[in-house]
Amino acid sequence: MKKIYLISSLIVLIGITSGISFFLIRDANAQIPEDITLVTMDEENYTFGEETETIKLVEFIYTHCPDICPTTTQKMNLLRKDLIKEGVYGKEVQFVTITIDPYRDTPEVLRKYMDNFGLENDGNWIFLTGDPAEILEEQQKIKQVADTFQFQYRDPGNGFYVHSTFTYLIDENNKFIKKFPMGEDFNKDEVFEEIMDEI
C-alpha cells in the first residue's frame, strides 16, 4: 500500500514539475515578432523590430476599463517618476501601452487617456493602437502581440473586456524577462528593483 502511495505521489509531483517547467520555458522564450507594426498615439508607425535600444515595460489596456487598467496605468506613472529620479527613464527603459480595443481606442482617445493621467508625450511612454482604416487586420496584430505572452482577452458583448492581469518586462530585443500583476497587486517597488537589476 505504501509503495502504491509513493508511486502515485511521485507521478503527481512529476506532473506538477513538468507543468511548471513548461510555463517557465514558454515565458523565457516569448518574444514579440519583429515585423509587427502598430500605430502610436501620434498616428506614427511603430515596428517592434526597429525599437531595440531599451528594455520596456509592456501594459495591455482598454480605455473603457472601469478598474484594473487605469489602476495599473496610475501605478506605472508613479514608477515612471521613480525611474526619472534615477536618470534611467527614456534612456534605458521605456513604457509601452497597447490597447486591446483599437476600434474605440483611436490615437486621439489614447492622447486623451494620457492627458487624464498627466503623462507627458515625450516619446518615452508609447501608446499603441491599430490603423482605423484596417481595423480587422490591426486587431489580429494586437492579438498576435498579446498571444506572445499568453495575455488573454475577449469582449463578452457589452464592451467590457475580460482579460488577463499581467504586465511584462521585455529586453531590448523584445524578449520576455518577467511578468508582474496588474491593478492593486502591481508593486511599483518590486518592478523598479527588477528594472534596475536588468539595466
Side-chain angles (χ1 to χ4, degrees), residues 13-131:
L13 183 61
I14 290 171
I16 292 171
T17 303
S18 298
I20 292 172
S21 298
F22 169 77
F23 286 111
L24 289 175
I25 291 170
R26 182 202 66 193
D27 286 344
N29 292 324
Q31 183 173 11
I32 299 174
E34 293 185 354
D35 60 346
I36 292 181
T37 298
L38 294 173
V39 177
T40 73
M41 66 285 191
D42 294 323
E43 303 179 54
E44 298 174 347
N45 286 340
Y46 179 101
T47 303
F48 282 93
E50 296 174 358
E51 306 295 332
T52 60
E53 70 280 359
T54 62
I55 65 172
K56 299 170 186 68
L57 183 64
V58 179
E59 167 196 37
F60 292 94
I61 63 134
Y62 70 107
T63 62
H64 287 76
C65 180
D67 43 41
I68 197 166
C69 298
T71 300
T72 307
T73 302
Q74 184 178 33
K75 290 190 171 223
M76 283 176 61
N77 192 21
L78 295 174
L79 171 63
R80 178 185 68 92
K81 293 173 182 177
D82 291 344
L83 294 168
I84 288 173
K85 288 178 184 176
E86 290 294 322
V88 297
Y89 180 76
K91 296 177 183 176
E92 298 181 72
V93 60
Q94 291 180 313
F95 291 173
V96 176
T97 294
I98 305 170
T99 179
I100 57 176
D101 186 12
Y103 182 77
R104 291 185 293 182
D105 291 342
T106 62
E108 181 182 3
V109 170
L110 292 179
R111 290 195 299 271
K112 288 179 180 177
Y113 185 83
M114 292 181 73
D115 288 342
N116 289 340
F117 286 94
L119 304 179
E120 184 181 351
N121 189 353
D122 58 6
N124 296 320
W125 192 333
I126 309 296
F127 280 71
L128 296 176
T129 185
D131 182 349

Side-chain angles (χ1 to χ4, degrees), residues 135-181:
I135 200 65
L136 292 178
E137 182 181 333
E138 301 296 90
Q139 286 173 328
Q140 288 305 310
K141 288 182 187 178
I142 290 170
K143 188 175 185 307
Q144 191 176 353
V145 176
D147 284 349
T148 298
F149 304 110
Q150 301 297 310
F151 186 93
Q152 303 294 316
Y153 61 93
R154 66 181 178 85
D155 181 356
N158 59 5
F160 291 101
Y161 282 75
V162 177
H163 60 82
S164 300
T165 55
F166 289 102
T167 58
Y168 305 89
L169 188 64
I170 61 176
D171 67 14
E172 63 276 6
N173 296 311
N174 300 312
K175 188 174 181 182
F176 174 87
I177 297 175
K178 192 169 183 177
K179 64 183 177 183
F180 307 95

